[in-house]
Coordinates of all heavy atoms in Angstrom, one line a residue:
A1 N -12.1 12.4 1.6 CA -13.5 12.9 1.4 C -13.7 14.3 1.9 O -14.4 15.1 1.4 CB -14.5 11.9 2.1
L2 N -12.9 14.6 3.0 CA -13.1 15.9 3.6 C -12.1 17.0 3.1 O -12.4 18.2 3.2 CB -12.9 15.8 5.1 CG -14.0 14.9 5.9 CD1 -13.6 14.7 7.3 CD2 -15.3 15.6 5.7
S3 N -11.0 16.6 2.6 CA -10.0 17.5 2.2 C -10.1 17.9 0.8 O -10.5 17.1 -0.1 CB -8.6 16.9 2.4 OG -7.6 17.8 2.0
G4 N -9.7 19.1 0.5 CA -9.7 19.6 -0.9 C -8.3 19.4 -1.6 O -8.1 19.8 -2.7
L5 N -7.4 18.7 -0.8 CA -6.1 18.5 -1.4 C -5.9 17.0 -1.8 O -6.6 16.1 -1.4 CB -5.0 18.7 -0.2 CG -5.0 20.1 0.4 CD1 -4.0 20.1 1.5 CD2 -4.7 21.2 -0.7
P6 N -4.9 16.7 -2.7 CA -4.6 15.3 -3.0 C -4.0 14.7 -1.7 O -3.2 15.3 -1.0 CB -3.5 15.4 -4.1 CG -3.0 16.8 -4.0 CD -4.1 17.7 -3.5
V7 N -4.5 13.5 -1.4 CA -4.1 12.8 -0.2 C -3.6 11.4 -0.6 O -4.4 10.7 -1.2 CB -5.2 12.7 0.8 CG1 -4.7 12.1 2.1 CG2 -5.9 14.1 1.1
I8 N -2.5 11.0 -0.1 CA -1.9 9.7 -0.5 C -1.5 8.9 0.8 O -0.9 9.5 1.7 CB -0.6 9.9 -1.4 CG1 -0.9 10.7 -2.6 CG2 0.0 8.5 -1.7 CD1 -1.9 10.0 -3.6
G9 N -1.8 7.6 0.8 CA -1.4 6.8 1.9 C -0.2 5.9 1.4 O -0.2 5.5 0.2
I10 N 0.7 5.7 2.3 CA 1.9 4.9 1.9 C 1.6 3.5 1.5 O 2.3 2.9 0.7 CB 3.1 5.0 2.9 CG1 2.7 4.3 4.2 CG2 3.5 6.5 3.1 CD1 3.9 4.2 5.2
C11 N 0.6 2.9 2.1 CA 0.2 1.5 1.8 C -0.4 1.5 0.3 O 0.1 0.7 -0.5 CB -0.8 0.9 2.8 SG -1.2 -0.8 2.5
E12 N -1.3 2.3 0.1 CA -2.0 2.3 -1.3 C -0.9 2.6 -2.3 O -0.9 1.9 -3.4 CB -3.1 3.2 -1.4 CG -2.8 4.7 -1.3 CD -3.9 5.6 -1.6 OE1 -5.0 5.2 -1.9 OE2 -3.7 6.9 -1.7
A13 N -0.1 3.6 -2.1 CA 0.9 4.0 -3.1 C 1.9 2.9 -3.4 O 2.2 2.6 -4.5 CB 1.7 5.2 -2.6
S14 N 2.4 2.2 -2.3 CA 3.3 1.1 -2.5 C 2.7 -0.1 -3.2 O 3.3 -0.8 -4.0 CB 4.0 0.7 -1.2 OG 3.0 0.2 -0.3
M15 N 1.4 -0.4 -3.0 CA 0.7 -1.5 -3.6 C 0.5 -1.2 -5.1 O 0.7 -2.0 -6.0 CB -0.6 -1.8 -3.0 CG -0.4 -2.5 -1.6 SD -2.0 -3.2 -1.0 CE -1.4 -4.1 0.5
Y16 N 0.2 0.1 -5.4 CA 0.1 0.5 -6.8 C 1.4 0.3 -7.5 O 1.5 -0.3 -8.7 CB -0.4 1.9 -7.0 CG -1.8 2.1 -6.6 CD1 -2.2 3.3 -6.0 CD2 -2.8 1.2 -7.0 CE1 -3.6 3.5 -5.7 CE2 -4.2 1.5 -6.8 CZ -4.5 2.6 -6.1 OH -5.9 2.9 -5.8
E17 N 2.5 0.7 -6.9 CA 3.8 0.6 -7.6 C 4.2 -0.9 -7.7 O 4.7 -1.3 -8.7 CB 4.9 1.4 -6.8 CG 6.2 1.2 -7.4 CD 7.3 2.0 -6.7 OE1 7.1 2.7 -5.7 OE2 8.5 1.7 -7.0
A18 N 4.0 -1.6 -6.6 CA 4.5 -3.0 -6.6 C 3.8 -3.9 -7.6 O 4.3 -4.8 -8.2 CB 4.3 -3.6 -5.2
S19 N 2.5 -3.5 -7.9 CA 1.7 -4.3 -8.8 C 1.7 -3.8 -10.2 O 1.0 -4.4 -11.1 CB 0.2 -4.3 -8.3 OG -0.3 -3.0 -8.3
A20 N 2.5 -2.8 -10.5 CA 2.5 -2.2 -11.8 C 2.8 -3.3 -12.9 O 3.7 -4.1 -12.7 CB 3.5 -1.1 -11.9
G21 N 2.0 -3.2 -14.0 CA 2.2 -4.2 -15.1 C 1.8 -5.6 -14.7 O 2.2 -6.6 -15.4
G22 N 0.9 -5.7 -13.7 CA 0.5 -7.1 -13.3 C 1.5 -7.9 -12.5 O 1.4 -9.1 -12.5
R23 N 2.4 -7.2 -11.9 CA 3.5 -7.8 -11.1 C 2.9 -8.4 -9.8 O 2.2 -7.8 -9.1 CB 4.6 -6.8 -10.9 CG 5.9 -7.3 -10.3 CD 7.0 -6.3 -10.4 NE 6.7 -5.0 -9.8 CZ 7.5 -4.0 -9.8 NH1 8.7 -4.1 -10.4 NH2 7.2 -2.8 -9.3
R24 N 3.3 -9.6 -9.5 CA 3.0 -10.2 -8.2 C 3.8 -9.6 -7.1 O 5.0 -9.5 -7.3 CB 3.1 -11.8 -8.3 CG 2.1 -12.5 -9.2 CD 2.5 -13.9 -9.5 NE 2.8 -14.7 -8.3 CZ 1.9 -15.3 -7.5 NH1 0.6 -15.1 -7.8 NH2 2.2 -16.0 -6.5
F25 N 3.2 -9.4 -6.0 CA 3.9 -8.7 -4.9 C 3.6 -9.2 -3.5 O 2.5 -9.7 -3.3 CB 3.7 -7.2 -4.9 CG 2.3 -6.8 -4.5 CD1 2.0 -6.4 -3.2 CD2 1.2 -6.8 -5.4 CE1 0.7 -6.1 -2.8 CE2 -0.1 -6.4 -5.1 CZ -0.3 -6.1 -3.8
G26 N 4.6 -9.1 -2.7 CA 4.4 -9.5 -1.3 C 4.8 -8.4 -0.4 O 5.2 -7.3 -0.8
I27 N 4.6 -8.6 0.9 CA 5.0 -7.6 2.0 C 5.9 -8.3 3.0 O 5.7 -9.4 3.4 CB 3.7 -7.1 2.7 CG1 2.9 -6.3 1.7 CG2 4.1 -6.2 3.9 CD1 1.5 -5.9 2.2
A28 N 7.0 -7.6 3.3 CA 7.8 -8.0 4.4 C 7.7 -7.0 5.5 O 7.8 -5.8 5.3 CB 9.3 -8.1 4.0
T29 N 7.4 -7.4 6.8 CA 7.2 -6.5 7.8 C 7.5 -7.1 9.2 O 7.8 -8.3 9.3 CB 5.8 -5.9 7.8 OG1 5.7 -4.8 8.6 CG2 4.7 -6.9 8.1
V30 N 7.2 -6.3 10.3 CA 7.5 -6.7 11.6 C 6.3 -6.9 12.5 O 6.4 -7.3 13.6 CB 8.4 -5.7 12.3 CG1 9.7 -5.6 11.5 CG2 7.8 -4.4 12.5
T31 N 5.1 -6.6 11.9 CA 3.9 -6.5 12.8 C 2.9 -7.6 12.5 O 2.0 -7.4 11.6 CB 3.2 -5.1 12.6 OG1 3.1 -4.9 11.2 CG2 4.0 -4.1 13.2
P32 N 2.9 -8.7 13.2 CA 2.0 -9.9 12.8 C 0.5 -9.5 13.0 O -0.3 -10.1 12.3 CB 2.4 -10.9 13.8 CG 3.2 -10.2 14.9 CD 3.8 -9.1 14.3
D33 N 0.2 -8.6 13.9 CA -1.2 -8.3 14.2 C -1.8 -7.4 13.2 O -3.0 -7.0 13.3 CB -1.4 -7.8 15.6 CG -1.1 -8.8 16.7 OD1 -1.2 -10.0 16.4 OD2 -0.7 -8.4 17.8
L34 N -1.1 -7.0 12.2 CA -1.6 -6.1 11.1 C -1.7 -6.9 9.8 O -2.1 -6.3 8.8 CB -0.7 -4.9 10.9 CG -0.9 -3.8 12.1 CD1 0.2 -2.7 11.9 CD2 -2.3 -3.2 12.1
V35 N -1.3 -8.1 9.8 CA -1.3 -8.9 8.5 C -2.7 -8.9 7.8 O -2.8 -8.7 6.6 CB -0.8 -10.3 8.7 CG1 -1.0 -11.2 7.5 CG2 0.7 -10.3 9.1
A36 N -3.7 -9.1 8.6 CA -5.1 -9.2 8.0 C -5.4 -7.8 7.3 O -6.1 -7.8 6.3 CB -6.1 -9.5 9.0

């Protein structure tokens, strides 16, 4: 909202890629307290 540049987050980008074409996707990670 504040920047005049394109800004990308690695979570949003990976979810867009993983779900491309209606693909079902999961996450594998090490941090249980971030699952929610």
Side-chain angles (χ1 to χ4, degrees):
L2 294 174
S3 176
L5 301 178
V7 186
I8 302 297
I10 64 171
C11 184
E12 66 168 7
S14 60
M15 286 189 175
Y16 286 143
E17 180 181 351
S19 63
R23 189 165 55 180
R24 289 165 56 81
F25 69 95
I27 294 171
T29 193
V30 301
T31 49
D33 293 334
L34 288 173
V35 168

